[in-house]
Amino acid sequence: MAKVTAAAHPNIAFIKYWGRVDPELNLAANPSLSMNLGALTTVTTVEFCADQSVDVVIIDNEPATGQALARVVAHLDRTRALGAIQHRAHVVSRNGFPAGTGLASSAAGFAALSLAATRAAGLNLDEAALSRLARMASGSACRSVPAGFCLWEGDSHESSFARQVAPPDHWDLRDVVAVVSYKHKAVGSYDGHKWAPTSPLYAARVAAVPALLDAVQKGIQERCLDTMGPAAETDALAMHAVMMTSQPGLLYWAAATVTVLQAVRAWRAEGLRIYFTMDAGPNVHCLCDPLEASEVERRLRDLEGVLDVLSSGPGGGVRLVEDHLF
Ligand code: PMV
């Protein structure tokens, strides 16, 4: 059978997905909206092989084991069921950025795996069907399927997928990421989503989403950072408040996280147009204009505890590439 390779970008959500109404199907408790990060790429090659008795999965040059392997095998099983094939697969995936630090490697990885595996199985899904399939593996992966700025909404398997609200060239917004840790996070989002409803703040955050989402959508439409930034900051902090107050509680922040958050607000008070958001990890994503991105990067590098700085504009959707990884 054919060997197929796909590339995808991680995405950063301005309105977050945190909490599920259906854990089997990954149906989200609230709509979310993100931008693909064009400078960061995951590439995945898949081949279904008649002579293999198990799925072999290599991620960043290491054989996958435990939960990481189980999630990939479960996704290959979904693909095998769709394509009515039995063969086990050889999968090799490479992240061009640190995995497991809240940089959404699972989103890019499962978007790329969805396209590569379905094509390798002889299927040709349209964008909505591919997004729906990616969602089953990792909710946020559905938003890495379309290009640019993507909205994921819907409350049933059929209606729950991501679609583009603006193409990548609509707005050259920059995400300058302050990396404060390379450590693999101890608790992943799978458990976090499950625990979210135990927080006394959960219902309040979900109820606050529609108004914040309106502000973010308006900000994107009008290319106005000062309209979308405050809403994105509020939702990121609300999500982390839910994480911190769930049972068990999740505290993803490092000391340097707080240093960066405080610096962003101080720089904004001085006139720099900059807002922060964060995913399930200690790193801080700073949203700014391209004209101010190198100044933001320079200032972030000077802060104590900042190990590296990555910078990205909007990126395209999942796509096929010619260079196979094996
Ligand atoms: O897709 P998951 O299950 O890895 O959850 C993603 C959760 C956040 O990154 C924290 C928020 C989001 O919407 O991307």
Side-chain angles (χ1 to χ4, degrees), residues 242-317:
V242 169
M243 291 166 163
M244 290 173 191
T245 52
S246 63
Q247 300 291 328
L250 291 168
L251 182 51
Y252 284 116
W253 299 14
T257 307
V258 181
T259 305
V260 178
L261 299 185
Q262 284 177 336
V264 167
R265 290 201 163 165
W267 298 337
R268 193 159 72 225
E270 286 168 19
L272 209 59
R273 286 178 55 242
I274 178 174
Y275 294 88
F276 62 74
T277 185
M278 299 175 65
D279 276 344
N283 300 324
V284 183
H285 294 247
C286 300
L287 309 174
C288 65
D289 189 274
L291 292 174
E292 292 183 326
S294 45
E295 174 65 11
V296 167
E297 181 167 343
R298 194 187 59 73
R299 291 188 188 205
L300 287 172
R301 283 191 193 279
D302 276 350
L303 291 180
E304 190 167 344
V306 173
L307 307 176
D308 198 2
V309 178
L310 311 170
S311 182
S312 182

Side-chain angles (χ1 to χ4, degrees), residues 11 13 16-18 106 138-140 143 189 193 239 243 279-280:
N11 63 73
K16 309 293 184 182
Y17 152 51
W18 198 247
S106 71
S138 171
S140 58
R143 297 188 312 240
S189 52
H193 290 294
M239 177 184 73
M243 291 166 163
D279 276 344

